[in-house]
Amino acid sequence: MPLLWRTKSNPLALWWALLTLASIANIAVWFFLYRELHSQALGGSSGIELMLLLCAAYVFGCAFRSVLPRADVQRICLFDHWLSSVFVGRSVATVAEVCFVAQWAIILGQLGRLTGADTTLNIAWVIVPLIVIAECCSWYAVLTTNYLYNAIENSIWAVAFLIVGVALCRLLPEFHGLVRWVLVAAIAGIVLYLAFLVTVDVPMYLARWKDGLADGSKLLGLLEGLRDVRTRWVVTHDITHWKGEIAWMSLYFTGAVWASLALCACYSLDDYLPRYRTEAAAVSWTAPSLPHAVSSDMLLGAFSR
């Protein structure tokens, strides 16, 4: 494999090296979390085990796409290998992205049940189906090379995380101290993400779609596109071909992965959340209590039987 492009004079090589280093660091953090939290999973907290699994799918999936980056509709990549095919990359991305939003759904469900916030619980149920629809739009865009469906896909992501932000805002009055600050930080991150989607990402895909209409670019049929994504990839080390991808890929493979890791860590703190409930919220809503004679061990025993 030619190595000439991987020189200090090529900014694309530096970008790829930074993505690769970030991926290695992210994987190391995941293994650290696994070591620290797996004991809780062994203790019977299957929720943590599921969160670790979902986080692994996203962290390792993004690492794979960082080491072998590709732009799906353009069919361009950095390395001439069958793993660089769009079919492989899009398949990995689909699994990883559904797992990522499933993490958000689990966290919202955890906080919604603790606080009795119906708004948060309802949003937890909605966001995964929304992203499944977005993934279908993404696949249609990739197969047909129709950028309009990339714009629709990212618009659905914007709607999904807009309502996630609403769910987190609903939780703000329920907590104080560190938990409230974590919620504020998450909301701020979502605001920045939405701003990027609305001002950069979606307009970029709409502009590409309009350019394609203007120059009469031929769209592919679904079967033709399926064959194309499996067999055609164009290796290019020209920075001009990647300029439109570098911004979103850099944010996606760093900030979004850090969010996934943070969700996994936050979920493990379930036992600490009640102490950060605001006094008014704790008084206004309490979980239904069992008779004093019934212990949690007895309840678990009944279910096990």
Side-chain angles (χ1 to χ4, degrees):
M1 185 178 296
L3 300 177
L4 293 178
W5 71 274
R6 280 179 278 179
T7 63
K8 293 181 180 179
S9 61
N10 190 341
L12 194 62
L14 177 61
W15 172 67
W16 173 77
L18 291 175
L19 283 185
T20 302
L21 288 174
S23 298
I24 293 171
N26 292 335
I27 290 172
V29 172
W30 184 86
F31 275 109
F32 172 79
L33 286 176
Y34 179 84
R35 187 187 67 184
E36 295 297 317
L37 303 180
H38 188 56
S39 59
Q40 296 183 40
L42 293 176
S45 181
S46 58
I48 294 175
E49 191 169 29
L50 176 59
M51 284 292 280
L52 286 168
L53 180 62
L54 294 172
C55 184
Y58 195 67
V59 171
F60 286 88
C62 287
F64 172 78
R65 297 175 67 202
S66 295
V67 174
L68 295 173
R70 65 189 59 74
D72 292 345
V73 176
Q74 303 94 309
R75 311 290 197 258
I76 62 173
C77 60
L78 287 183
F79 299 98
D80 187 11
H81 194 280
W82 67 269
L83 288 174
S84 292
S85 76
V86 174
F87 181 80
V88 172
R90 189 67 248 159
S91 299
V92 171
T94 300
V95 173
E97 288 168 356
V98 171
C99 288
F100 178 58
V101 78
Q103 285 186 274
W104 278 100
I106 291 171
I107 284 285
L108 293 180
Q110 176 194 45
L111 296 174
R113 286 189 298 273
L114 175 64
T115 59
D118 289 339
T119 299
T120 301
L121 287 171
N122 291 335
I123 290 173
W125 282 105
V126 168
I127 56 176
V128 173
L130 271 178
I131 297 307
V132 170
I133 295 172
E135 294 300 327
C136 292
C137 291
S138 178
W139 270 102
Y140 189 84
V142 169
L143 293 177
T144 64
T145 66
N146 189 339
Y147 284 110
L148 176 60
Y149 284 85
N150 283 130
I152 295 172
E153 172 207 359
N154 284 280
S155 298
I156 295 173
W157 275 95
V159 171
F161 274 87
L162 176 63
I163 63 175
V164 168
V166 171
L168 296 180
C169 288
R170 166 62 184 85
L171 295 170
L172 282 176
E174 305 288 340
F175 295 98
H176 64 83
L178 180 62
V179 174
R180 178 176 288 184
W181 283 110
V182 170
L183 291 173
V184 169
I187 293 168
I190 288 172
V191 169
L192 292 175
Y193 172 61
L194 293 177
F196 178 80
L197 286 178
V198 171
T199 62
V200 178
D201 217 39
V202 173
M204 176 186 72
Y205 288 119
L206 287 175
R208 291 179 179 179
W209 171 62
K210 291 177 182 177
D211 290 342
L213 291 177
D215 62 23
S217 297
K218 178 182 176 295
L219 300 179
L220 302 178
L222 290 177
L223 292 179
E224 183 184 6
L226 182 59
R227 182 168 55 253
D228 192 59
V229 297
R230 293 171 57 193
T231 59
R232 182 168 70 92
W233 54 89
V234 179
V235 179
T236 175
H237 304 141
D238 186 346
I239 188 67
T240 59
H241 295 158
W242 291 91
K243 278 185 177 179
E245 318 303 319
I246 287 175
W248 75 261
M249 283 188 177
S250 299
L251 293 171
Y252 185 107
F253 297 141
T254 56
V257 176
W258 299 337
S260 176
L261 292 165
L263 289 172
C264 203
C266 289
Y267 184 81
S268 69
L269 303 177
D270 186 50
D271 293 340
Y272 296 92
L273 292 175
R275 71 180 65 178
Y276 290 100
R277 292 290 309 280
T278 57
E279 185 176 346
V283 170
S284 64
W285 183 89
T286 55
S289 58
L290 295 169
H292 294 298
V294 181
S295 68
S296 59
D297 289 340
M298 292 170 60
L299 185 63
L300 289 173
F303 277 113
S304 65
R305 289 194 293 271

